[in-house]
Amino acid sequence: VQLQASGGGLVQPGGSLRLSCAASGRTFSSYDMGWFRQAPGKEREWVGFIRRIGEGTTYYTHSVKGRFTISRDNAKNTVYLQMNSLKPEDTAVYYCAARTRGRTILSAMQENSAYDYWGQGTQVTVSS
């Protein structure tokens, strides 16, 4: 499975961006898809994820809840991260990740080790 993230850039505080993550593979709909971010000098942080087909439930870390939305288009093998009301503290490299193994619990899905494949990252900078 190969993941290609795109859509990052420079945006002013309060602005919006939509990140995309295109995946290879014929069974994309069976993957749980996550988003992580890593700010300079900090560890990679879980942002949220969307469950595989049949569920499609989304979960978010507290700091982005209500501002970020994860969605997926299984026909296009793509997952999206819509980011609104961006803040300077959202500045980071954003990564998408895929879990192709069986379903696991929510707390585990917040860990890097829950995911089997990673995209290359896309830079998001929020600054005036």
Side-chain angles (χ1 to χ4, degrees), residues 4-5 9 13 16 18 26 34 38 47-51 58-59 68 83 85 91 113-114 117-118:
Q4 181 73 39
S16 298
R18 188 177 79 158
R26 294 181 292 177
Q38 187 167 18
V47 174
F49 81 97
I50 184 166
R51 288 283 191 195
T58 53
Y59 302 88
F68 290 11
M83 304 184 293
S85 303
T91 295
S113 58
Y117 300 93
W118 293 81

Side-chain angles (χ1 to χ4, degrees), residues 37-107:
R37 65 186 181 185
Q38 187 167 18
K42 295 187 176 181
E43 293 187 352
R44 189 174 296 183
E45 172 191 30
W46 173 72
V47 174
F49 81 97
I50 184 166
R51 288 283 191 195
R52 59 197 66 192
I53 194 169
E55 301 186 44
T57 311
T58 53
Y59 302 88
Y60 304 94
T61 192
H62 178 74
S63 62
V64 308
K65 201 171 293 185
R67 299 189 298 121
F68 290 11
T69 302
I70 299 173
S71 61
R72 65 192 300 161
D73 185 336
N74 291 323
K76 295 182 178 180
N77 279 17
T78 301
V79 63
Y80 304 98
L81 178 63
Q82 177 67 45
M83 304 184 293
N84 299 328
S85 303
L86 282 161
K87 304 175 181 180
E89 51 264 42
D90 295 318
T91 295
V93 177
Y94 283 71
Y95 299 89
C96 59
R99 177 181 175 87
T100 60
R101 289 170 279 161
R103 191 181 186 278
T104 189
I105 60 176
L106 171 58
S107 59

